[in-house]
Amino acid sequence: MRRAGGVDRARIWAGVEIGKEHHHCVVINSDGERLLSRRVLNDETALLELITDVLALDEDVLWAVDLNHGGAALLIGPLLSHEQPMVYITGLTVHRASASYRGEGKTDAKDAFVIADQARMRRDLGLLRPGDEIAVDLRTLTGRRTDLMCDRTRLVNRLRAQLLEIVPALERELELTSKGPVVLLTGYQTPAAIRRSGAKRMETWLRNRKVRSAAALARTAVEAQHTALPGEKLAAVMVVRLAKGVMAVDEGIAEVDALIEAQFREHRHAEVIVSLPGMGKQLGAVFLAATGGDMDAFDSADRLAGLAGLAPDPRDSGRVSGNLRRPRRFHRGLLNAMYLSALSSLRSCPASKAYFARKRAEGKGHKQVLLALARRRINVLWAVIRDGACYQATPAVTAAA
């Protein structure tokens, strides 16, 4: 196995501008001189040849890429198998840095050089760690779940718009984020059909399909509207199709949820993560997917909080000091997971309840306090995973009599 370099001891730097069909690689030395500049096909054989040629220049090399997924996967895989260190520099960073280099033109070769040169000069770049196998699987599954949830939202919005054309009163009364109203619309759509069925028959129909609160839902539908509107026949057909589409997406979400839970249970940190109140299997899976399941990638809780967007950046100028704002680059899925876990912990965690009450008494806003609570909890989560110990609430100290 060839000896791999590192961020601090690299002697050459290979910057790769990632493309869908082709990449461009530029290799520079410590003086910024180009040792290699090549356009390479995004093909396994071509990429392996590129790696061999770069290592022939010097084995102490640091690779830098401007994309860490998608089209970069076929390059990242062989680099990992060759134990080559990599850093990730965002496309926005490359774009901004390019303005400080000579020439206003933009080419793949220039971008690759900028990527390599930034990797050479900067010492704040952490090594790219794709994560363990389970974390990678969870990244795929949680991404798929997000897509399905977005599909469901779009279908529900279309369903609401269609209902508004023929039964606006029913659209107003039904909560289409729940299963029951969606099931109802697969069988009943128009005021005339609802009246012909009647509340009792509709209630029985809903109960047979395991809908909760069937009686109340049937009564709401019957009382909603009696006037027939133009175009309701065709619109009713579209409502059925949309409602069935929502139910199909719900089945897909349930299947993915089961896969996420099964994969999450297999991870070595699963028990530790769920021991923190408010961190269930779904939110824990998002946490593992975002972090790679390896706390060695974060030398401190502050670094992890920065990834989640919970470590504010200073924005001081002149006489203005103490001005903080959320960083522009952070993992929105991780922030959402930590926010929701903080909200959930208020139901079962005395420490979270006490912190929330204290901050609210100080005049802080609801959202502001939840973000602050999420920041504290990410410190705890980082520590318990680092120590491999489940979270234990600190018992209350009783004052001596």
Side-chain angles (χ1 to χ4, degrees):
M1 184 66 67
R2 298 193 175 198
R3 183 164 57 92
V7 174
D8 295 325
R9 65 190 183 98
R11 288 200 293 260
I12 62 173
W13 292 261
V16 185
E17 199 277 335
I18 301 296
K20 182 178 179 180
E21 297 182 359
H22 293 85
H23 308 324
H24 198 104
C25 177
V26 170
V27 181
I28 62 174
N29 60 17
S30 58
D31 294 326
E33 298 173 343
R34 300 191 190 211
L35 306 179
L36 180 148
S37 180
R38 182 190 300 178
R39 178 179 169 88
V40 58
L41 183 67
N42 190 15
D43 172 77
E44 184 178 8
T45 303
L47 293 174
L48 287 173
E49 183 181 346
L50 172 68
I51 294 171
T52 301
D53 291 345
V54 172
L55 290 175
L57 296 172
D58 197 312
E59 293 186 358
D60 283 335
V61 54
L62 177 64
W63 296 79
V65 295
D66 64 342
L67 190 67
N68 59 3
H69 62 280
L74 195 56
L75 174 64
I76 291 175
L79 287 175
L80 288 175
S81 65
H82 285 73
E83 295 185 358
Q84 293 296 296
M86 285 175 287
V87 294
Y88 166 55
I89 303 176
T90 67
L92 180 60
T93 300
V94 175
H95 174 71
R96 289 175 174 171
S98 295
S100 62
Y101 289 78
R102 185 173 58 188
E104 297 182 0
K106 181 190 183 304
T107 64
D108 292 345
K110 179 182 178 181
D111 287 346
F113 175 82
V114 172
I115 294 169
D117 201 38
Q118 288 293 302
R120 177 179 68 89
M121 293 186 296
R122 296 179 60 170
R123 292 294 179 267
D124 60 337
L125 300 173
L127 290 177
L128 180 61
R129 294 179 172 91
D132 55 46
E133 190 71 21
I134 295 177
V136 173
D137 289 344
L138 286 174
R139 191 177 305 150
T140 300
L141 290 171
T142 53
R144 176 56 180 161
R145 189 182 193 278
T146 299
D147 290 341
L148 288 172
M149 293 300 295
C150 291
D151 290 343
R152 190 187 197 280
T153 300
R154 283 191 290 268
L155 284 171
V156 168
N157 288 340
R158 291 170 187 158
L159 183 55
R160 285 195 176 280
Q162 195 66 72
L163 271 180
L164 200 59
E165 296 288 335
I166 57 171
V167 201
L170 193 59
E171 185 274 336
R172 184 172 58 250
E173 295 294 333
L174 296 183
E175 185 57 58
L176 295 179
T177 54
S178 302
K179 175 186 174 182
V182 176
V183 173
L184 170 68
L185 292 175
T186 61
Y188 304 93
Q189 307 83 34
T190 64
I194 292 173
R195 287 200 310 276
R196 280 197 305 269
S197 173
K200 279 296 182 183
R201 187 184 300 175
M202 190 181 302
E203 178 185 345
T204 303
W205 187 86
L206 290 171
R207 288 187 186 280
N208 291 338
R209 286 155 180 78
K210 298 180 173 56
V211 173
R212 296 179 180 177
S213 304
L217 182 57
R219 187 166 55 252
T220 298
V222 170
E223 296 172 356
Q225 181 176 323
H226 300 286
T227 303
L229 298 180
E232 67 175 19
K233 278 191 176 181
L234 180 58
V237 174
M238 301 308 297
V239 166
V240 173
R241 291 183 179 179
L242 289 169
K244 289 182 177 180
V246 173
M247 293 179 64
V249 172
D250 285 341
E251 291 177 4
I253 293 173
E255 291 175 2
V256 172
D257 284 347
L259 290 173
I260 289 175
E261 182 173 342
Q263 284 289 93
F264 176 76
R265 287 179 180 276
E266 296 295 323
H267 198 275
R268 65 186 186 280
H269 295 322
E271 185 179 355
V272 174
I273 291 173
V274 297
S275 68
L276 184 67
M279 283 296 291
K281 300 178 184 64
Q282 293 293 333
L283 296 180
V286 175
F287 177 84
L288 289 176
T291 61
D294 182 11
M295 290 300 102
D296 292 339
F298 306 96
D299 52 7
S300 67
D302 293 340
R303 192 76 177 264
L304 179 58
L307 176 65
L310 293 170
D313 289 337
R315 196 174 188 181
D316 298 342
S317 179
R319 296 181 180 180
V320 178
S321 62
N323 189 20
L324 302 175
R325 64 171 174 82
R326 182 178 295 166
R328 292 181 179 178
R329 293 188 292 109
F330 59 93
H331 196 292
R332 282 163 175 76
L334 181 56
L335 173 61
N336 184 57
M338 296 309 302
Y339 184 89
L340 291 177
S341 73
L343 182 62
S344 178
S345 70
L346 296 178
R347 296 196 296 263
S348 58
C349 180
S352 294
K353 291 179 183 178
Y355 179 83
F356 184 86
R358 185 172 75 253
K359 289 298 180 181
R360 288 290 281 164
E362 293 174 3
K364 306 293 185 183
H366 178 83
K367 183 178 179 180
Q368 187 179 12
V369 176
L370 280 178
L371 288 172
L373 178 58
R375 175 67 174 89
R376 288 172 63 94
R377 287 167 54 82
I378 211 167
N379 290 350
V380 175
L381 194 54
W382 179 84
V384 295
I385 294 176
R386 177 201 60 191
D387 299 337
C390 291
Y391 170 81
Q392 293 183 349
T394 304
V397 178
T398 305

